[in-house]
Amino acid sequence: MTDLVINPTQSRPWGKILLRALLFALLGLFALFYLMPLFVMVTTSLKSLEEIRTGSLIAFPREITFEAWRTAWSGACTGIQCEGLRPYFWNSVVLAIPAVLISTVVGALNGYVIAQWRFRGANLIFSLLLFGCFIPFQVVLLPMARMLGLMGLAGTIPGLIFVHVIYGIGFTTLFFRNYYVTIPQELVKAAKVDGAGFFRIFWSIFLPLSLPIIVVTVIWQFTQIWNDFLFGVSFSQAGTQPVTVALNNIVNSTTGVKEYNVDMAAAIIAALPTLLVYVVAGKYFIRGLTAGSVKG
Amino acid sequence: MAPILDIKNLYKNYGPVEILKDINVAIEPGDFLVLVGPSGCGKSTLLNCIAGLEPITDGTIHIGGRDMTHVSPKDRDIAMVFQSYALYPTMSVAKNITFGMKVRGVDAATQERKLQEVAGQLQIEQLLHRRPGQLSGGQRQRVAMGRALVRDPKLFLFDEPLSNLDAKLRVEMRTEIKKLHQNLGATMVYVTHDQIEAMTLATKIVVLKGGIVQQIGSPAEIYNRPANLFVADFMGSPAMNLIPARAKPNGTGTQIEISRDGEAPLVLTDTQAPDLPEDVILGLRPEDIAEAGFRAGESVQKAECLIEMVEPAGADTFVVSHLGGKQVTARLHAETSAQSGKTLPLAFDLSKVSYFAPESGDRLN
Ligand SMILES: Nc1ncnc2c1ncn2[C@@H]1O[C@H](COP(=O)(O)OP(=O)(O)OP(=O)(O)O)[C@@H](O)[C@H]1O
Ligand SMILES: [Mg+2]
């Protein structure tokens, strides 16, 4: 990104160096600013309660202890139970993985059909799906609760998966459709003449082209679903709650002394998977967002 | 022999817009049919209809004697080369070429044999492991051809396969396609809006305009006896001279009178002319107007004409004169003595003349 900086003082090297220094100082400042909260969280989670009470917020821990992490993972109380985040973390995993996969696959097929098979009414359906992206969460809560009740999925993890898939299809379709419209229609025509059918063309020609947009969609969906709180708190019950809801309960249900170190550790644990996804696939994310044309 | 492709009364609409109107075309095995016409006249649409990639509104399409009107593309026994080549971007050249066979369940040994055969024919053996993105335009074009050639279908369809190439490569590939056609004896339908391509490749030309067939015929027929003003103007470069004239029957034939600015009209006598209305458009190719003395014959008429421009073009020299309110181009020998601003005796070869009705544009002789 830095090579985008246009340097007007090319002829005077000291000016150039000064500008560079200024640029890096500024960037460093921003980075520090954004890293501050994370720093506080990590250091606090590694301190004992005693040290938190006596020390400064931004000081390094005098004595590193992982006690708070252990408690957050397997001992902290969410209301009456004291099992820590672990069961809820697994709830979130069991919930997010199928929800992400299903909504991505459906979005890919939707996008493929809408962009490349141009059936009658395709544009209308696409507009409606787009509209679905802009419906606020709160609006669908009650009808969705009723739906889940009718389907016998109320309070279950499959129910939550269903909600996330439905809500995510609008976005995933949008991503794939916009990616696939840039692929020339003649590819489908050529494949048809070659004898391939609907799924064969998708599988052999479109899917291999789709890695960047799959990564974008998976990151987007995973972040949305893992971090979701409203659907989680509305459509789950004791035992099926996702990690975000459990985190909230841990932080809010502590009686007596507030265990900041446990809260911080729990928050980091809850945020870790999304962080991981970005670190692993982040560069594809940028690439996928900017990927426009496909070289013939 | 039964026609290999027989299109009857084909209509194609996009919504309310009629794109193709009452198309009737039939070709024999081994024919090389070229569809020409200006941009947007419906050439690609017709090709897509033949391939089954676009449903047709009315009419029938028979391929190899079978009614294929409602048959899906994969069962029509056709192969197609697209204008943009449409190579599968993530597959290697070899995979691109064998994809069709793989889909159809041809065994691996046959696939490999055919691949090598076609690769040899098109001289792309050393490219087989590359992706389309790593090929030059001409190489891609050959791969696209290869994908069609491995199929050995009843009918090849080519949609402007050379339009993306530079002039030199285009001429090379044109020759290669011609060779391929002669070696394979295959039947081809070929779209282009390059009329030189049309003339050199075709055994039969269909001229389209606005979705309506203007003329169907051999290249010589189209060139020498265009069916109307549009075809006359469209085919040939430089274009046919189309000169407004007045026809008057006299004892021995028909007098053709062409007005000239500030001069006595030019009068030619055509002894073979049919009955003509008074106003006609006279069509003569540049090469049918020569320098007097270089062309002789019964139907050659001579007249002094004022030369306005001399354009040497290597082998020939084109001279431009002004007749009947139109620029008239004549193709003379390179060593002509023509000079602009001077008069020159020109010989008009009326055995090659075409007459058209000014209003309808239809051919009269
Ligand atoms: N999907 C479509 N919907 C509506 N109109 C279309 C569609 N495809 C093509 N047309 C119209 O049909 C007409 C013929 O198009 P076509 O692509 O067959 O032209 P063409 O003769 O191949 O032109 P070119 O030489 O530029 O390739 C054009 O006027 C075009 O606008
Ligand atoms: Mg076209």
Side-chain angles (χ1 to χ4, degrees):
Chain A
M1 281 293 138
T2 46
D3 44 10
L4 284 180
V5 177
I6 292 162
N7 203 327
T9 55
Q10 204 90 52
S11 53
R12 287 172 297 172
W14 54 269
K16 191 174 161 182
I17 291 165
L18 197 76
L19 262 172
R20 267 292 135 106
L22 220 77
L23 178 74
F24 281 116
L26 206 67
L27 287 176
L29 223 65
F30 278 129
L32 272 181
F33 182 74
Y34 282 107
L35 280 172
M36 204 61 200
L38 185 66
F39 170 77
V40 171
M41 283 177 76
V42 173
T43 50
T44 308
S45 73
L46 296 175
K47 294 172 184 170
S48 65
L49 258 186
E50 175 65 29
E51 194 187 330
I52 293 173
R53 218 173 305 117
T54 55
S56 147
L57 182 68
I58 54 167
F60 281 98
R62 265 167 305 184
E63 197 181 324
I64 290 179
T65 161
F66 289 96
E67 197 48 46
W69 284 74
R70 200 168 300 124
T71 314
W73 180 241
S74 57
C77 297
T78 56
I80 38 172
Q81 281 149 315
C82 292
E83 305 170 291
L85 276 183
R86 187 170 49 190
Y88 307 101
F89 190 91
W90 290 122
N91 279 352
S92 272
V93 170
V94 169
L95 158 78
I97 289 176
V100 168
L101 291 184
I102 295 171
S103 58
T104 303
V105 169
V106 174
L109 281 170
N110 277 351
Y112 167 59
V113 173
I114 290 172
Q116 294 284 335
W117 290 75
R118 303 267 164 91
F119 54 94
R120 189 181 288 266
N123 280 337
L124 180 73
I125 289 184
F126 182 57
S127 315
L128 290 176
L129 277 168
L130 254 186
F131 185 65
C133 296
F134 300 114
I135 297 178
F137 277 33
Q138 296 85 330
V139 174
V140 298
L141 284 184
L142 281 177
M144 189 58 91
R146 177 103 181 96
M147 276 279 290
L148 290 176
L150 286 176
M151 289 163 52
L153 291 176
T156 65
I157 287 182
L160 263 181
I161 294 176
F162 178 75
V163 174
H164 282 299
V165 167
I166 296 294
Y167 207 83
I169 283 175
F171 291 96
T172 56
T173 303
L174 173 70
F175 290 158
F176 279 98
R177 183 264 180 197
N178 285 356
Y179 188 76
Y180 288 153
V181 282
T182 63
I183 297 176
Q185 292 240 307
E186 289 191 336
L187 275 189
V188 169
K189 290 186 175 176
K192 276 189 190 168
V193 172
D194 264 344
F198 180 87
F199 285 106
R200 183 63 183 254
I201 297 174
F202 179 67
W203 185 256
S204 299
I205 294 162
F206 282 82
L207 219 49
L209 279 171
S210 307
L211 182 68
I213 200 65
I214 289 175
V215 172
V216 168
T217 311
V218 164
I219 291 184
W220 173 268
Q221 279 299 92
F222 187 80
T223 315
Q224 292 291 310
I225 294 170
W226 187 273
N227 289 341
D228 161 72
F229 180 72
L230 189 63
F231 285 153
V233 82
S234 311
F235 301 130
S236 64
Q237 57 198 28
T240 63
Q241 286 153 334
V243 70
T244 45
V245 177
L247 174 65
N248 175 67
N249 292 349
I250 287 177
V251 174
N252 286 335
S253 69
T254 331
T255 48
V257 190
K258 204 126 182 68
E259 294 179 288
Y260 286 112
N261 52 355
V262 175
D263 293 354
M264 294 298 181
I268 295 174
I269 291 173
L272 228 59
T274 37
L275 215 65
L276 197 75
V277 168
Y278 273 103
V279 169
V280 170
K283 72 170 189 226
Y284 292 100
F285 188 67
I286 304 293
R287 214 179 285 166
L289 281 182
T290 52
S293 55
V294 176
K295 283 257 173 70
Chain B
M1 249 188 297
I4 198 135
L5 170 69
D6 194 2
I7 300 172
K8 287 211 176 79
N9 308 104
L10 181 144
Y11 286 80
K12 168 72 189 170
N13 299 1
Y14 278 120
V17 192
E18 277 197 331
I19 304 293
L20 297 173
K21 285 158 230 162
D22 200 15
I23 309 284
N24 288 284
V25 178
I27 54 174
E28 307 296 325
D31 261 347
F32 197 123
L33 179 79
V34 171
L35 298 173
V36 281
S39 192
C41 69
K43 305 179 298 288
S44 298
T45 307
L46 180 54
L47 213 61
N48 278 308
C49 289
I50 297 173
L53 294 167
E54 290 285 351
I56 64 175
T57 310
D58 200 10
T60 58
I61 296 172
H62 288 254
I63 297 172
R66 270 184 61 204
D67 185 354
M68 295 283 190
T69 314
H70 302 291
V71 174
S72 75
K74 68 178 199 298
D75 300 321
R76 291 197 180 197
D77 205 4
I78 49 155
M80 188 156 171
V81 177
F82 292 84
Q83 189 162 354
S84 63
Y85 310 146
L87 300 178
Y88 310 127
T90 55
M91 295 184 202
S92 66
V93 167
K95 291 243 171 66
N96 260 282
I97 292 175
T98 52
F99 181 69
M101 290 190 286
K102 205 171 138 205
V103 169
R104 282 161 213 271
V106 175
D107 63 274
T110 314
Q111 283 186 31
E112 185 57 28
R113 184 173 53 76
K114 287 217 159 190
L115 173 66
Q116 292 307 334
E117 221 175 274
V118 165
Q121 201 170 14
L122 296 169
Q123 295 166 16
I124 49 174
E125 293 107 324
Q126 69 291 355
L127 305 175
L128 290 180
H129 57 277
R130 292 210 207 157
R131 294 268 178 96
Q134 302 164 316
L135 301 178
S136 74
Q139 292 169 332
R140 282 182 212 184
Q141 202 268 338
R142 270 183 278 182
V143 175
M145 289 283 251
R147 200 166 59 177
L149 293 178
V150 281
R151 291 272 320 284
D152 192 19
K154 286 217 174 62
L155 198 58
F156 285 99
L157 306 173
F158 294 89
D159 193 353
E160 303 196 29
L162 307 187
S163 60
N164 292 343
L165 306 184
D166 66 52
K168 185 166 177 291
L169 199 55
R170 187 141 75 204
V171 175
E172 274 175 37
M173 291 309 298
R174 198 167 71 203
T175 322
E176 271 185 55
I177 291 178
K178 181 137 190 149
K179 261 194 255 161
L180 267 176
H181 173 242
Q182 283 165 353
N183 296 345
L184 294 174
T187 317
M188 304 190 171
V189 180
Y190 187 102
V191 168
T192 178
H193 51 217
D194 179 331
Q195 37 93 13
I196 297 177
E197 241 168 79
M199 297 298 293
T200 48
L201 292 174
T203 60
K204 196 171 190 175
I205 295 179
V206 174
V207 185
L208 271 178
K209 179 197 166 200
I212 299 170
V213 172
Q214 303 294 310
Q215 188 172 5
I216 302 182
S218 68
E221 274 164 10
I222 302 266
Y223 192 74
N224 295 324
R225 298 181 54 80
N228 57 36
L229 281 175
F230 174 79
V231 179
D233 192 40
F234 188 75
M235 298 299 289
S237 170
M240 182 183 263
N241 297 302
L242 298 166
I243 313 161
R246 295 164 79 81
K248 286 191 198 122
N250 67 4
T252 50
T254 310
Q255 272 199 351
I256 310 291
E257 198 180 294
I258 301 167
S259 65
R260 284 197 282 194
D261 295 343
E263 267 184 87
L266 173 69
V267 179
L268 306 170
T269 309
D270 187 351
T271 50
Q272 265 123 51
D275 276 348
L276 292 174
E278 198 181 338
D279 284 317
V280 295
I281 303 242
L282 173 133
L284 262 184
R285 297 260 171 219
E287 58 269 32
D288 297 326
I289 307 176
E291 208 167 345
F294 283 91
R295 188 77 72 99
E298 241 174 85
S299 48
V300 175
Q301 306 263 313
K302 294 188 182 67
E304 290 279 332
C305 295
L306 180 67
I307 304 302
E308 292 182 346
M309 218 188 326
V310 180
E311 295 173 348
D316 300 309
T317 296
F318 294 101
V319 298
V320 178
S321 181
H322 221 78
L323 295 174
K326 287 278 172 78
Q327 288 209 337
V328 173
T329 306
R331 178 182 292 206
L332 309 183
H333 284 285
E335 59 273 13
T336 178
S337 56
Q339 276 182 304
S340 60
K342 300 247 173 82
T343 60
L344 186 77
L346 290 180
F348 297 81
D349 187 350
L350 293 186
S351 66
K352 298 288 184 63
V353 76
S354 299
Y355 295 106
F356 302 99
E359 291 86 34
S360 65
D362 289 340
R363 185 183 184 86
L364 296 168
N365 61 330

